[in-house]
Amino acid sequence: MDAVRLLSFFSFFFSIFLAQTVLCVDTCSPSSCSGTRPQVQFPFRLTDRQEYRCGYPSFDLSCNQTQTVLNLPFSGDFIVERIDYFSQSIYINDPDFCLPKRILSLNLSGSPFRGLYLSNFTFFNCTSSEWSEYYNIDDSVPLHCLSGDNYTVIAMAYPMFTPPGCRNISIVSVPVQYDQYQFGSMDFNQSLQLTWDLPDCRACVTDGGTCGFKSNSLTKIGCSNLPRHGLPRSAKYGIIIGAGIPGLVCIIGLACYICNWIKAYGRRHQLNTELATSTTAPQLVVVTTGLDATTIESYPKTVLGENQQLPKPNDGTCPICLSDYQTKETIRTIPECKHYFHANCIDEWLRMNATCPLCRNTPDGSSKVTPLSSISSSSSSSSSSSSSPSTS
């Protein structure tokens, strides 16, 4: 029952872990107002679609129907046309299609953004068309959304002097795009390019990772989900769960088996101890000793002649020393089995062993039956006699 409860607990834990992992991915996954572009992800967040921790402070965006809107504290709302996370650039435009008007009052204070490529433009209010006679149309841009029936507002990059019939309105540093900065021109129908320095996620995005806050922290930035060689994360989760739960069951079963085995071993050990301490009948022990000299000498001996005629059943080699029999050597035969050996070899053997080296037969009278208790008593008596001092 305990194993089943433990297994249920771990299953519940894995379920909660996976649910929270999926929830985190869903709430901070990229989103958009129109379902396509621009894609909004960290450090930006859509205030009505993503949680607070999914974006960096002051990087909040909102949706105006299908348009993505950025609010600059001192300049108002702008439409976000594109976000480049690799170069950390955001491209904004005026929702009323009069970008020059917004440029005249553009103030990036209080925001994390700045112009990456800045070009100075001078704005003039001209009450006649005489300016066009002195300036190439490519060097000056008429701004129709700022102009009226009796005047024309133009923007010029680095004018040498004030055009005839015009007055200087303002000199503005415009955050242009790279190609406009490179050629010193300005298309006021295109968007403005802004950049940000913090948080710096360029390396993470370049490596294919996901930039965001570290483990519920709202100050430290980290990079996760970096591409790795091998199995995808979902497959690893499946393997962990698929192999982890059966493995846990096996470990619990093995632990129960070992516990039961230890208990059974303890009971057997206790039973053996009780049996050993109980009174039992004396056991009989067969003690086999060597033969005495008289018995050994009673076995027949033969001196080999020149023809080395040997009796059967042995061959011409002594089974004890493994040497061939030679002329004039003495051999001895065991009467019971008719096996023969060098006399010196078999005599030494029979003094310590009462059996034939080949067939292991024991001659009659070479063994005796003695109670085990008698042997123990005899050993104890011998020990006592050897330890007590001798008297004269």
Side-chain angles (χ1 to χ4, degrees), residues 269-286:
H269 180 70
Q270 182 180 3
L271 180 60
N272 292 337
T273 303
E274 293 175 355
L275 291 176
T277 56
S278 63
T279 304
T280 58
Q283 299 180 359
L284 299 180
V285 178
V286 178

Side-chain angles (χ1 to χ4, degrees), residues 209-231:
T210 301
C211 191
F213 289 115
K214 286 185 178 180
S215 60
N216 297 327
S217 171
L218 294 180
T219 56
K220 296 181 180 180
I221 305 300
C223 187
S224 60
N225 299 329
L226 288 171
R228 298 177 180 177
H229 299 290
L231 296 174

Side-chain angles (χ1 to χ4, degrees), residues 253-298:
L254 180 61
C256 294
Y257 171 78
I258 293 175
C259 182
N260 293 333
W261 182 84
I262 292 174
K263 291 180 180 179
Y265 176 80
R267 287 194 294 267
R268 288 197 300 270
H269 180 70
Q270 182 180 3
L271 180 60
N272 292 337
T273 303
E274 293 175 355
L275 291 176
T277 56
S278 63
T279 304
T280 58
Q283 299 180 359
L284 299 180
V285 178
V286 178
V287 180
T288 303
T289 61
L291 302 180
D292 54 44
T294 303
T295 303
I296 295 174
E297 287 298 330
S298 67

